[in-house]
């Protein structure tokens, strides 16, 4: 057997248990068949010595036997799997002894090819104890070979860094609750702080040696960062600002040490900085040099030398000298080392900077700090460190080929850090096949290597001081060389991608196949300068990694390279065309626009607006539009604006509106521009008086007295008004034509005329309409609005205070305050919330942001009132339209529901206010008050049971139950239509509404209800009536009851049960049973009657006799009798016991005949015929045809069935519970045709028969037995109760012609007797000439089960 086994493997520390870590085990056996099968096993303990040797070779390496950590679950495949979690910090290497076992012939010699001297072939030897035996039965025929598999554990980042200092509490190698302390002087800047008990230092607990960055995480007081800072690389704490004890007595700072890795693991420590007060009279201090030198690892007490080699000395006026904890001042004033094993090597600092302060002995005074620096000279105390390298694959062949570069690190400096590399050992006799460069560490092959060979190269790194370390490089020779490059499926790929393609979406799959079946890796060589695309190095999937923009670049040409493991490659060209999406909004050029137009011209050209769209095709076609409520139109294609109506300068001097530009996409994007049109005035207006009545008072005998001054307004730009007196005494008054001032010409005489009235007009306005003139003359006239306000259109972004309209009302009263007018906004709806009016001027302005509501129209009610008594007023309406121009942000759709349909479930007993469903709203506002947003139910809520509102955060539409009146039995579901309400520009019209289907869940809230027959004059409602023969077999169905439950599903299932005896059910409950599922009532037992006869005199014994009580009714007698009865009945029954006969009350024999009044039927037909005759001839013909078919059907059925006749019989009714019951239905006996008309409903509603109309017949051999007494009344009778008798009958001793039998003697009735008197579960004991099938009525009597029960009287 030949074994070629891979000898090394690498497993990540966090590899999941169950993963395959090595699948390279291979062994060959030249035998054939079963003898050639190879199985692999792990041997326990065999690798322990090798693990100890590896640990001795490298003390830093922890090696162990891998048995129990790894396993080979499938011996024939040889895959090594992990069965226990790895921990690099405990064990870095596992050695596994693998046994390859095969069947063979003892006469053959086995040959094992191995790469270690320890591998062997052991014929006739027993494998390791843990290794199963091979398949050969004879131990002498078993061959096996072994090898060692080395599994190196690769460390991963799974541990946080840890602060380290001497004396800390250590747990698992890390300090627990590290704490540092330092001291600063008040008012003095100390620089780098001396931290105790050691400098702040943290290391990565993993072997990855990740860099650690230091920072302050938090602290108290909060101003700590103003005074102290920490070096992110070294952890040195520096005071950056002097601190006074009035600020803080101490600082508690949390220091954070964080790994510079992707996981960002960190640890924290506490730093307490105490602020000490300064001395008032400090001593002075001097030093021989400000920089000293000392060797690292210098013993304690070594003097620090200056640059000239002289000891560094300090002179101070005070002997109390303090310094850093690493150094001290001896009695001679020399600076000496005060800490063992000072280390210069990283991460320790190579130079110590500290301050020296001299203090008075016993006094508070201290000197100013003196800064010193001590540099540590390097000593060769660190050996080079070689990394753990993964296995390396080298192609087979000859010549020099680079294998790997080994790089060691040395924490020393200068010559001490110079490293020389050498090869210490090569396994498999490969020492002459590899060479290493002593300076660079490059390993090369120098001999011939064959495929399948494996070498372990032990590399040694040595520094100039002789310190060294070793590491093993595993080399595996693979087939080679590579001669053929990969081949693409096609040299040029033409693909398209939308500019809206999502990140990581696939553009195309590029495929190349290597003729030598080597793995192929893909890369983009050129054309990807913008890093827009990436390609899977193994899959060849070309995908988008950045947002594309067709408007920036429409085409890309990528050169993709496919390279095999041997370095041979080929390229293919990928041409990518970026297709357009509608992602650009139209943009107006020169926005905003200002134009000028003359008033009074309809269709006049105002100007041209122009917008461009960076998209292409239909997405770039721009269409223009303006609101319908502006007096302008725009050409949709050219953007030319013209007047729609003649403008009036006097009404509005400036028009401001918005032009909208939309592109031609199905989901268009839009842009808006503001257009301002100034109207040029044309002199076409007449002066008017706004005050129609001027009251005035004039004293008599006062010439040239100013009576009053009237005023008319000219709306034109060039105002020109000339006043004149139209009516009135012009000889007494005159008016200034320019100012309108009226004066008296001469003194007036009150006694001659106490009042004058003048009509004042203007020369430019010769009209006589209101406003053309005014009257100069008390409160009897209400204010009048001079103009009718026109509708006003505002944008929703109109700022607060924007003027909406100005109203003017005048009062024609002559004197104040009757003619003083005030204004008030009484409004409608929400108008008062958003608008206000100035009470003096009548100016209406915007009061609040119009974007808070989605309303587009407001109707303002303005009241003008005077200040007279009584107060008079008038009202006018101002219509305000709000134009909402809000649009969703570019690249984002409007507010919408994410789904078109939702479903929800709610129990029918849910109370009002229950949340049924919260419908998520996408693309909604970032805050609830940003834009108005609402939702309501537009359909499906006819009963008003539900209500929809926006949630407080504005992220969803909550549907709640408004009234707790749900009923599953009334309606099982509701289909609601929910609609969003907001500004039209913000909403997505395609997803504005959504359907919500509310399923009402049923609860068990309904009690089962029995279904009784319909009301009848004979039958009692609320009861069932049934009949059964006295000798009917057990199991004969008596009647079937039916109950229904309005609940659904399992809650509506009904179970039937009889009320237990003694609970009001009567004695019959012991003799009947009801099927729990169907409700069918069956006899559950019967009594066996027998007489006791004295064998001495053949006399019937009395039940109360002593002999009967002693021998029959004793426990032993009862046992014997019940045993005999059970034996007689075999397995058909169970004997319960003996009891006295039941006593029934004596009832008066009655007979009754239940008559069904079928004679009414012909009259009903006549009435129907009369009604049909009134309706018309067509109805009569229809009835005649139907009647003919009905008669033919009856005659046909009479020929098919023969109806047996039952004559009425009469019997004592007391026997009705125990005797055979023959139901005599009230059917006419003399009219054979009437049988055909009998319509009986045997559904659960009509399964009832009155016992008062039932006659009874006792089975006897003579006809004189009618009405005879029941044996129940005999004192000599005794009964035995038998229950569950099925398929067997017992004879009636009262009807037997033979003498009474002794106990234990019983006879059976004939089958014919039972066949004649058996009741039927389907009521077939009542026969009709025409057999009816009532199964179509749906009463299957197979109801479901339900725990809610009800009872009825049977």
């Amino acid at each position: 057997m030949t074994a070629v086994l891979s000898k090394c493997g690498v497993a990540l520390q966090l590899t999941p248990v169950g993963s395959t870590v090595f699948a390279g085990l291979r062994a060959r056996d030249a035998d054939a068949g079963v003898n050639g099968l190879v199985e692999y096993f792990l041997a326990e303990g065999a690798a322990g010595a090798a693990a100890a040797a590896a640990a001795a070779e490298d003390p830093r390496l922890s090696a162990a036997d891998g048995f129990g950590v790894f396993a080979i679950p499938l011996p024939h495949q040889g895959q090594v799997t992990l069965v226990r979690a790895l921990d690099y910090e405990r064990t870095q290497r596992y050695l596994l002894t693998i046994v390859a076992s095969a069947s063979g012939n003892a006469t053959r010699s086995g040959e094992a090819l191995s790469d270690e001297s320890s591998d062997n072939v052991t014929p006739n030897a027993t494998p390791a104890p843990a290794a199963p035996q091979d398949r050969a039965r004879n131990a002498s025929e078993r061959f096996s070979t072994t090898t060692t598999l080395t599994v190196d554990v690769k460390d991963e980042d799974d541990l946080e860094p840890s602060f380290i200092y001497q004396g800390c509490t250590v747990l698992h190698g890390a300090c627990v609750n590290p704490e540092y302390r330092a001291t600063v002087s008040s008012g003095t800047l100390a620089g780098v702080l001396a931290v105790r008990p050691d400098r702040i230092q943290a290391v990565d607990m993993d072997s990855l040696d990740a860099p650690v960055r230091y920072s302050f995480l938090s602290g108290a007081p909060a101003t700590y960062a103003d005074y102290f800072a920490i070096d992110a690389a070294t952890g040195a704490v520096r005071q950056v600002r002097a601190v006074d004890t009035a600020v803080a007595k101490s600082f508690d700072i949390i220091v954070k040490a964080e790994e510079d890795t992707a996981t960002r693991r960190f640890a924290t420590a506490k730093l307490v900085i105490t602020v000490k007060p300064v001395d008032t009279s400090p001593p002075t201090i001097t030093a021989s040099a400000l920089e000293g030198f000392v060797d690292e690892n210098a013993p304690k007490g070594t003097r620090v030398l200056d640059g000239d080699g002289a000891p560094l000395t300090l002179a101070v006026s005070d002997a109390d000298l303090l310094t850093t904890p690493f150094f001290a001042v001896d009695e001679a004033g020399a600076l000496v080392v005060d800490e063992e094993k000072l280390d210069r090597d990283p991460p320790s600092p190579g130079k110590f900077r500290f301050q020296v302060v001299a203090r008075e002995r016993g006094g508070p005074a201290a000197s100013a700090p003196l800064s010193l620096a001590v540099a540590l000279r390097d000593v060769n105390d660190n050996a080079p460190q070689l990394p753990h390298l993964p296995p390396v694959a080298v192609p087979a062949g000859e010549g020099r080929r680079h294998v790997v570069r080994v790089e060691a690190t040395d924490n020393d400096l200068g010559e001490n850090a110079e490293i020389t590399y050498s090869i210490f050992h090569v396994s498999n006799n490969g020492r002459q096949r590899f060479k290493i460069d002593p300076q660079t560490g490059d390993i090369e092959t120098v001999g011939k290597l064959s495929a399948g060979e494996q070498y372990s190269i032990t590399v040694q790194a040595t520094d100039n001081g002789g310190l060294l370390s070793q590491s093993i490089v595993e080399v595996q020779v693979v087939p080679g060389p590579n001669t053929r490059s990969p081949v693409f499926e096609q040299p040029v790929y033409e693909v398209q991608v939308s500019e809206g393609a999502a990140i990581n979406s696939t553009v195309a799959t590029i495929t190349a196949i290597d003729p030598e079946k080597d793995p192929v890796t893909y890369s983009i060589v050129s054309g990807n300068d913008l890093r827009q695309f990436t390609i899977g190095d193994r899959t060849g999937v070309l995908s988008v990694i950045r947002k594309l923009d067709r408007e920036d670049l429409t085409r890309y040409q990528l050169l993709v390279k496919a390279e095999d493991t041997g370095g041979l490659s080929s390229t293919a060209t990928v041409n990518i065309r970026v297709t357009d999406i509608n992602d650009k909004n139209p943009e107006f050029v020169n926005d905003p626009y200002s134009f000028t137009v003359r008033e009074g011209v309809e269709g006049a050209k105002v100007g041209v607006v122009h917008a461009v769209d960076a998209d292409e095709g239909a997405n770039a076609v721009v269409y223009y539009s303006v609101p319908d409520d502006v007096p302008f139109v725009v050409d949709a294609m050219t953007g030319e604006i013209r007047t729609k109506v003649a403008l009036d300068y006097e009404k509005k001097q400036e028009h401001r509106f918005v032009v909208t530009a939309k592109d031609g996409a199905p989901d268009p994007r839009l842009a808006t521009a503001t257009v301002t049109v100034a109207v040029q005035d044309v002199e076409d207006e007449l002066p008017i008086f706004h005050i129609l009545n001027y009251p005035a008072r004039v004293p008599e005998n006062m010439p040239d007295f100013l009576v009053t001054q009237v005023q008319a307004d000219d709306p034109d730009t060039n105002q020109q008004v000339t006043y004149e007196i139209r009516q009135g005494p012009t000889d007494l008054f005159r008016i200034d034509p320019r100012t309108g001032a009226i004066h008296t010409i001469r003194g007036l005489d009150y006694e001659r005329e106490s009042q004058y009235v003048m009509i004042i007009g203007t020369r430019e306005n010769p009209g006589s309409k209101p406003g053309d003139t005014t009257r100069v003359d008390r409160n009897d006239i209400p204010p009048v609005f001079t103009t009718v306000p026109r509708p006003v259109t505002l944008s929703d972004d109109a700022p607060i205070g924007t003027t909406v309209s100005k109203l003017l009302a005048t009062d024609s009263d002559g004197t104040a305050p009757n003619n003083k007018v005030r204004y008030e906004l009484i409004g409608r709806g929400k108008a008062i919330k958003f608008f206000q009016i100035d009470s003096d001027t009548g100016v209406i302005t915007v009061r609040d942001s119009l974007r808070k509501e989605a309303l587009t129209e407001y109707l303002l009610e303005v009241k003008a009132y005077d200040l007279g008594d009584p107060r008079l007023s008038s009202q006018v309406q101002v219509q305000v339209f709000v134009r909402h121009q809000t649009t969703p942000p570019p690249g984002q759709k409007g507010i919408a529901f994410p789904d078109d349909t939702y479903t929800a479930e709610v129990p029918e007993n849910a109370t009002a206010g229950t949340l049924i469903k919260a419908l998520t709203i996408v693309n909604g506002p970032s805050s609830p008050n940003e834009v108005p947003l609402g939702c309501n139910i537009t359909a499906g809520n006819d009963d008003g049971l539900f209500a929809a509102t926006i949630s407080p955060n504005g992220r969803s539409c909550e549907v709640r139950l408004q009234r707790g009146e749900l009923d599953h039995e009334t309606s099982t579901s509701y289909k609601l239509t929910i609609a969003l309400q907001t500004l039209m520009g913000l909403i997505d019209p395609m997803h504005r509404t959504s359907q919500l289907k509310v399923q009402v869940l049923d609860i068990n809230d309904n009690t089962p209800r029995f279904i009784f027959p319909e009301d009848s004059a004979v039958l009692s409602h609320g009861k069932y009536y049934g009949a059964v023969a006295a000798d009917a077999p057990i199991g004969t169905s008596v009647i079937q009851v039916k109950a229904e439950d309005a609940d659904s599903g399992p809650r509506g299932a009904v179970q039937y049960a009889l009320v237990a005896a003694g609970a009001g059910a009567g004695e019959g409950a012991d003799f009947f049973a009801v099927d729990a599922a169907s409700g069918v009532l069956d006899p559950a037992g019967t009594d066996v009657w027998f007489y006791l006869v004295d064998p001495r005199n053949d006399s019937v014994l009395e039940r109360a006799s002593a002999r009967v009580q002693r021998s029959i009714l004793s426990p032993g007698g009862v046992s014997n009798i019940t045993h005999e009865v059970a034996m007689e009945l075999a397995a058909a029954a169970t004997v319960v016991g003996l009891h006295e006969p039941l006593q029934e009350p004596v009832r008066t024999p009655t007979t009754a005949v239940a008559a069904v009044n079928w004679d009414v039927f012909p009259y009903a037909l006549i009435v129907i015929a009369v009604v049909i005759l009134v309706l018309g001839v067509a109805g009569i013909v229809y009835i005649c045809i139907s009647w003919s078919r009905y008669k033919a059907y009856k005659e046909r059925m009479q020929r098919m069935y023969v109806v047996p006749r039952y004559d009425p019989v009469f019997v004592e009714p007391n026997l009705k519970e125990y005797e055979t019951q023959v139901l005599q239905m009230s059917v006419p006996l003399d009219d054979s045709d009437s049988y055909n008309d009998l319509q009986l409903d045997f559904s659960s509603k009509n399964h009832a028969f009155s016992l008062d109309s039932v006659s009874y017949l006792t089975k006897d051999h003579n006809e004189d037995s009618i009405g005879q007494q029941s044996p129940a009344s005999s004192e000599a009778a005794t009964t035995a109760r038998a229950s569950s008798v099925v398929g067997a009958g017992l004879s009636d001793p009262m009807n037997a012609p033979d003498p009474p039998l002794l106990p234990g003697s019983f006879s059976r009735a004939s089958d014919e007797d039972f066949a004649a008197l058996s009741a039927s579960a389907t009521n077939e004991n009542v026969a009709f000439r025409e057999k009816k099938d009532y199964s179509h009525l749906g009463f299957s009597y197979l109801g479901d089960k339900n725990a809610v029960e009800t009872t009825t009287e049977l």
Side-chain angles (χ1 to χ4, degrees), residues 22-26 38-40 72 74-80:
F22 192 79
L25 294 179
R26 296 190 306 277
V38 180
E39 296 180 347
Y40 304 93
I72 302 178
L74 300 175
H76 292 291
Q77 295 183 5
Q79 294 182 351
V80 180

Side-chain angles (χ1 to χ4, degrees), residues 302-582:
T302 302
R303 293 194 173 191
V304 178
L305 305 180
D306 58 15
D308 299 329
L312 195 155
T313 60
L314 301 175
V316 63
S317 59
D318 195 309
D320 185 13
L321 184 64
L322 300 179
T323 183
T324 174
F326 299 103
F327 301 93
V329 179
D330 60 9
E331 296 179 354
L335 187 65
V336 297
V337 176
D338 196 36
E339 181 74 21
E340 295 290 348
K341 296 183 179 180
L342 293 181
D343 191 5
R344 183 212 59 80
D345 305 319
S348 302
K351 179 180 288 188
F352 292 88
R353 299 183 184 274
F354 54 93
Q355 294 176 331
V356 180
V357 178
R359 301 185 183 277
E360 293 181 351
R361 189 185 303 270
S367 67
L370 177 65
S371 297
L372 296 179
V374 176
L376 300 182
R377 290 191 290 261
D378 185 47
V379 175
N380 188 21
D381 58 345
N382 290 283
Q385 298 295 324
L386 284 168
H388 293 287
L389 298 177
V392 180
V394 177
E398 297 184 12
R400 290 181 175 270
R401 291 181 304 282
H402 182 267
V403 177
V404 71
R405 168 174 286 189
V406 180
E407 291 183 330
T409 58
D410 194 321
N411 288 334
D412 294 320
L413 289 178
E415 295 180 354
N416 296 330
E418 294 179 358
I419 300 173
T420 303
Y421 300 93
S422 62
I423 295 178
F424 180 77
H425 173 71
V426 179
S427 65
N428 203 13
N429 296 323
R431 184 66 182 84
Q432 303 302 322
R433 301 184 181 183
F434 297 93
K435 179 181 179 182
I436 189 170
D437 188 295
Q439 302 301 324
T440 63
D442 288 329
I443 300 177
E444 296 179 340
T445 63
V446 294
K448 180 180 179 181
L449 300 179
S450 301
E453 294 179 345
Q454 181 175 316
Y455 302 92
S456 296
I457 305 175
T458 303
V459 179
Q460 179 174 293
T462 308
D463 61 16
N464 286 341
L467 300 179
L468 58 88
S469 66
Q470 294 179 348
S471 180
I472 297 177
V473 178
E474 301 290 347
V475 178
Q476 183 176 2
V477 182
V478 298
N482 189 22
T483 59
R484 302 175 63 185
S485 60
V487 178
F488 283 93
E489 290 184 346
Q490 55 190 77
V492 179
Y493 292 84
E494 298 288 343
V495 296
Q496 294 182 353
V497 61
S498 172
E499 64 174 329
I503 302 300
N504 296 326
S505 60
T506 300
V507 178
T509 300
I510 311 301
T511 304
I513 301 176
D514 188 79
E516 298 168 342
K517 305 303 181 182
D518 286 345
V520 178
T521 58
Y522 301 89
S523 61
I524 300 176
V525 178
S526 63
N528 195 26
D529 299 336
L530 300 179
R531 299 295 187 269
Q532 301 286 82
F533 304 94
T534 186
I535 190 169
D537 58 348
R538 297 295 182 184
T539 62
V541 175
L542 187 66
S543 56
V544 179
I545 59 173
R546 290 189 180 180
K547 194 69 176 178
L548 301 178
D549 192 349
R550 187 204 60 81
E551 288 71 26
D552 292 340
L553 192 60
T554 61
R555 289 184 177 275
Y556 296 86
Q557 188 177 64
L558 307 181
L559 188 62
V560 177
K561 181 177 71 173
E563 185 176 5
D564 59 17
T565 56
L568 297 182
S569 63
S570 59
T571 59
T573 302
V574 181
N575 295 322
I576 303 175
R577 187 174 72 87
V578 182
T579 60
D580 184 43
I581 63 170
N582 191 24

Side-chain angles (χ1 to χ4, degrees), residues 803-816:
T803 299
V804 179
S805 180
K806 181 178 181 181
L807 302 180
L808 181 63
T810 59
D811 195 315
S812 299
D813 291 314
T815 59

